[in-house]
Amino acid sequence: MTETAGRRRRGISARGLRVTTLDRVEHILNPSGPPLTPRTAVVWSVLRAELDRRPAGELTVLDVGGGTGGFAVPLARAGHRVTVVDASPDALAALSRRAAEAGVAGRVRALQGDGDALAGLVEPASVDLALCHAVLEVVDDPSPVASALAGALRPGGAASVLVAGRAAAVLGRAMNGHLDLAAALATDPAGSTGPRDTLRRRFDAEGAAALLTAAGLTVEEIHGVRVLAGLLPAAVADGQPAALVELERTLAARPPWRDIAAQLHLFARRPA
Ligand SMILES: C[S@@+](CC[C@H](N)C(=O)[O-])C[C@H]1O[C@@H](n2cnc3c(N)ncnc32)[C@H](O)[C@@H]1O
């Protein structure tokens, strides 16, 4: 038996790490995509569950503010047809290059446009799965974007929405000694420190769920993304990446840990 085969049998990877359930899940979930990290693992688990419950075949996917295609390209590689609507021509150019390099240019459509004007870009009620990740905190007004997202979904279609969490930002500022900014973030109605803040708003789970509910969606699941990753010393996060991803997955659905995550992931559905 070769050394590699022997290691595999004993559950030891080439880097000397034990091959955990997580490693196998990573391979099953995203064999040709980027490695799962605390930033992506929980979201991919939720998306994978949705893809698995659908009958085999190509889904119509919309990624609003999809940027350079971190989710769009792996979804296209998995056989789905993805439209990315983004305000930035530079992001869309990078997306097109990435899709071409991955051999899925024919399944990825890049459209420049605004998230609150989807009706002119995407046929209403035509989308099986709509992503809107890290967008609602930067747009002028999140309500029309949430409504446009809901309007694009076919009845029974699902939305994957990722938003910035307020509690993590408060903790982060406080731990860095910026107590004034922490107080401002905690008390500002939008969860922003003002015009110099990079984000216009931050959310707690209830507020984000209320936004999607008002848009006509039924929220089915809420997870925290990066509960601990931003709080740990780099030596811990970098030194035990697989264990950290596993711990993130363990904590993601469980308040109070869920609620201090850097981002909140909401999985919602347009009623059938
Ligand atoms: C922080 S990036 C997130 C990119 C990607 N969704 C991700 O999670 O990696 C925000 C993206 O939203 C896009 N964006 C900002 N405002 C937008 C709007 N009103 N309509 C559509 N896209 C918008 C930006 O161009 C950018 O690509």
Side-chain angles (χ1 to χ4, degrees), residues 172-180:
R173 298 300 190 287
M175 288 169 68
N176 284 323
H178 301 298
L179 301 187
D180 52 341

Side-chain angles (χ1 to χ4, degrees), residues 63-67 71 85-88 91 113-116 133-135 138-139 162:
D63 192 348
V64 177
F71 278 83
V85 174
D86 199 289
S88 160
D114 207 296
D116 61 13
H133 292 175
V135 175
V138 297
V139 295
L162 194 60

Side-chain angles (χ1 to χ4, degrees), residues 89-117:
D90 289 347
L92 292 172
L95 162 72
S96 297
R97 283 195 299 276
R98 197 169 178 176
E101 283 164 13
V104 293
R107 285 207 291 277
V108 175
R109 192 163 60 125
L111 296 178
Q112 189 182 358
D114 207 296
D116 61 13

Side-chain angles (χ1 to χ4, degrees), residues 34-146:
L36 296 184
T37 65
R39 192 178 288 278
T40 61
V42 169
V43 177
W44 275 119
S45 312
V46 175
L47 294 181
R48 181 78 262 166
E50 175 65 8
L51 299 177
D52 285 350
R53 64 176 286 284
R54 298 272 182 167
E58 177 186 285
L59 296 185
T60 300
V61 180
L62 169 67
D63 192 348
V64 177
T68 59
F71 278 83
V73 170
L75 284 166
R77 291 185 78 154
H80 306 296
R81 194 160 288 279
V82 188
T83 297
V84 176
V85 174
D86 199 289
S88 160
D90 289 347
L92 292 172
L95 162 72
S96 297
R97 283 195 299 276
R98 197 169 178 176
E101 283 164 13
V104 293
R107 285 207 291 277
V108 175
R109 192 163 60 125
L111 296 178
Q112 189 182 358
D114 207 296
D116 61 13
L118 296 175
L121 299 167
V122 178
E123 193 186 335
S126 66
V127 169
D128 298 302
L129 174 64
L131 278 56
C132 184
H133 292 175
V135 175
L136 295 179
E137 55 268 52
V138 297
V139 295
D140 292 343
D141 183 353
S143 295
V145 179

Side-chain angles (χ1 to χ4, degrees), residues 219-240:
V219 176
E220 295 184 348
E221 295 176 64
I222 304 179
H223 289 92
V225 173
R226 288 185 290 142
V227 173
L228 293 176
L231 298 174
L232 297 179
V236 176
D238 296 345
Q240 305 177 59

